[in-house]
Amino acid sequence: MRLTPEEQGMLDGKNGEAVREALEYQLEIGKFWGAERFVKITNAHMMGDIEVMGDAGLGFMKRACEHHTRCSVPITTNARCMDFPYVDKLGQHPAEAVKEKQIIQYLRQMNVCTSDTCINYQTVYQPHIGEHVAWGDTGTVIYANSVFGARTNFEGGPSALAAAVTGRTPEYGFHLEHHRKGTISVRLEAQLDDLADWGAIGKIVGEKHPNYYAVPVFHGMRRAPVADELKHLGCALASYGSMAMFHMVGVTPEAPTLEAAFGANAPAEEMVITDSDLARVYASYSLGDRSANLVVFSGPQLSLFEMKDISQRFAGRHVHPGTQVFVTTAASVKASARELGYLKDLEDAGVTVLEGVCFYILENLSEMRIKNQWTNMISNSSKIVNIIGAHRFNTILRETQACVDIACTGKLV
């Protein structure tokens, strides 16, 4: 990789050992991906919790602080694995909660903003078109690339932290123009009336094209989707297909026309998705033992508008005895929901609202599943239905109102 004089100085230790180590690490990443140089970034986003990092990650953080590591650009944290007031209620391990708090303190010492949200693009920072960032979490990355036209790859926790320390990242992948052009044509003829429908689209396209560099181009929609619909589409594409970018003609900034979205590329495939295709997705899930004792609205965290919507759906109703319903959101969104009365409607209905976490990475989730005799997990999030399988749930995707009705009746349909 070609280094600027400033970067060579970093590598020579002129900015301290922490910066030298970070750049040295990034050089290895750049060499692996064939990057020719670094690009400067303005923002970073990283995963930082004990469930993902373990004791080795905790030790890494401790050592980084001892070396006086400090981030030079703004950096936020992704959802963590514990909402501390609920540790005992959920049966999580107190010793792990202590470690989680230690990680938070280490991150703050390094000038990291511990926002604990996977929807930073809705709540904290919105990069502009052409802006280079270094974000982790698949849902954040695909939203940044697609909806904002910013430029980032999937950054692992250590690489996102290193990028925040050095203020740059290796130029490869979606930092480069030629990877950002469309490769697959997807005509949307389905009605797409629910968030789960948009996630189902992501499942259909992603499962058929599990390729990081596949870039679907959506067109033919009867209306432009709103931010939360784009969020669920992107999260599902990233989850099922490892995709980091999509275009939507007339909606996303790099796709004013179908021709502009593809550039010089010819579509490798042309897909058409109808209401019948969506119906097949919903029908494809096994009902398992037909239990309906767990309904989850999470993965990604809910926006304020989603909180308002489900609070209205639960208002005046109550969760069926023996059924548990979890909602996860960002701390700032929960605070606003409380002020606006949305939280009261949910809690009066018997819904548990967790902040700063995502359900699928809750510490001790597998043991929690066994203790609570959870077998089925019902959700309107296509992403969480896919990724929580490691905890041995039988997962079922349903539209939002169906999820609420199942939660309140205890009957799975």
Side-chain angles (χ1 to χ4, degrees):
M1 293 179 67
R2 301 190 303 272
L3 301 184
T4 65
E6 180 184 6
E7 291 159 358
Q8 187 61 54
M10 291 180 180
L11 192 61
D12 292 340
K14 293 181 179 178
N15 298 77
E17 180 63 15
V19 174
R20 188 197 67 77
E21 285 192 0
L23 194 79
E24 187 176 62
Y25 176 73
Q26 289 184 293
L27 273 170
E28 292 303 314
I29 296 171
K31 290 175 184 176
F32 179 86
W33 289 104
E36 296 182 2
R37 61 171 187 158
F38 287 103
V39 288
K40 289 187 176 182
I41 64 162
T42 53
N43 192 269
H45 182 74
M46 65 174 288
M47 174 65 77
D49 70 275
I50 193 64
E51 179 72 6
V52 172
M53 298 173 66
D55 289 340
L58 179 62
F60 174 86
M61 289 293 178
K62 182 175 184 292
R63 180 174 174 273
C65 285
E66 290 171 347
H67 282 196
H68 307 291
T69 301
R70 188 168 179 82
C71 297
S72 62
V73 300
I75 177 171
T76 50
T77 53
N78 207 54
R80 62 173 186 261
C81 63
M82 293 181 179
D83 184 348
F84 296 114
Y86 287 87
V87 167
D88 292 338
K89 296 176 186 177
L90 295 178
Q92 295 178 303
H93 297 123
E96 295 301 294
V98 171
K99 294 176 185 177
E100 183 81 336
K101 290 178 180 179
Q102 287 177 328
I103 287 177
I104 291 170
Q105 290 307 311
Y106 288 146
L107 289 168
R108 290 176 179 176
Q109 285 181 43
M110 289 186 281
N111 199 30
V112 176
C113 175
T114 52
S115 57
D116 303 324
T117 179
C118 61
I119 55 169
N120 59 314
Y121 48 88
Q122 290 185 308
T123 57
V124 183
Y125 187 74
Q126 297 78 42
H128 57 70
I129 187 168
E131 182 176 357
H132 294 277
V133 296
W135 284 11
D137 179 76
T138 54
T140 70
V141 167
I142 196 167
Y143 202 96
N145 280 325
S146 309
V147 181
F148 294 131
R151 302 190 170 207
T152 181
N153 292 301
F154 294 148
E155 297 275 4
S159 64
L161 180 60
V165 171
T166 65
R168 61 209 69 219
T169 194
E171 187 186 44
Y172 69 93
F174 289 91
H175 290 285
L176 299 169
E177 186 69 27
H178 66 274
H179 285 304
R180 301 178 66 84
K181 296 302 181 182
T183 62
I184 305 160
S185 171
V186 185
R187 182 173 181 81
L188 297 179
E189 295 183 355
Q191 293 297 302
L192 300 171
D193 292 322
D194 191 80
L195 291 179
D197 295 342
W198 290 92
I201 293 292
K203 169 182 165 65
I204 293 168
V205 177
E207 279 187 334
K208 194 169 183 181
H209 302 279
N211 179 354
Y212 183 55
Y213 289 118
V215 180
V217 178
F218 297 97
H219 56 99
M221 308 78 62
R222 62 188 177 94
R223 62 170 176 84
V226 299
D228 286 320
E229 292 169 333
L230 291 168
K231 175 174 75 174
H232 277 263
L233 170 63
C235 284
L237 288 169
S239 178
Y240 289 91
S242 296
M243 295 176 179
M245 188 170 184
F246 66 88
H247 295 293
M248 189 167 288
V249 176
V251 176
T252 55
E254 295 175 60
T257 64
L258 196 61
E259 293 74 21
F262 282 104
N265 292 347
E269 183 179 349
E270 296 187 10
M271 301 176 65
V272 177
I273 297 178
T274 66
D275 288 327
S276 296
D277 295 312
L278 295 187
R280 280 191 288 273
V281 169
Y282 292 118
S284 68
Y285 293 95
S286 166
L287 301 187
D289 60 5
R290 302 194 72 87
S291 63
N293 58 356
L294 178 65
V295 178
V296 173
F297 298 91
S298 180
Q301 292 175 341
L302 275 65
S303 71
L304 185 61
F305 294 119
E306 287 177 280
M307 293 290 285
K308 178 183 180 182
D309 178 61
I310 66 163
S311 73
Q312 291 173 339
R313 294 175 190 265
F314 273 104
R317 306 184 71 180
H318 200 277
V319 172
H320 187 269
T323 296
Q324 291 180 269
V325 180
F326 292 91
V327 168
T328 70
T329 191
S332 59
V333 172
K334 186 175 181 179
S336 295
R338 179 182 291 109
E339 182 177 347
L340 293 168
Y342 310 152
L343 192 61
K344 183 179 186 303
D345 285 340
L346 289 169
E347 291 178 339
D348 285 350
V351 174
T352 299
V353 181
L354 304 176
E355 70 174 61
V357 302
C358 195
F359 189 81
Y360 80 95
I361 57 168
L362 286 177
E363 190 271 335
N364 200 31
L365 182 57
S366 290
E367 292 179 37
M368 215 182 295
R369 177 186 60 77
I370 295 168
K371 179 181 177 182
N372 289 280
Q373 297 183 322
W374 293 330
T375 53
N376 290 335
M377 187 210 72
I378 301 102
S379 180
N380 70 340
S381 166
S382 182
K383 174 181 178 177
I384 201 169
V385 162
N386 186 40
I387 59 179
I388 207 169
H391 291 286
R392 299 185 179 180
F393 287 93
N394 179 60
T395 57
I396 302 166
L397 180 68
R398 288 293 182 263
E399 292 185 344
T400 306
Q401 187 60 48
C403 289
V404 174
D405 291 342
I406 291 166
C408 293
T409 63
K411 297 179 180 178
L412 180 58
V413 292

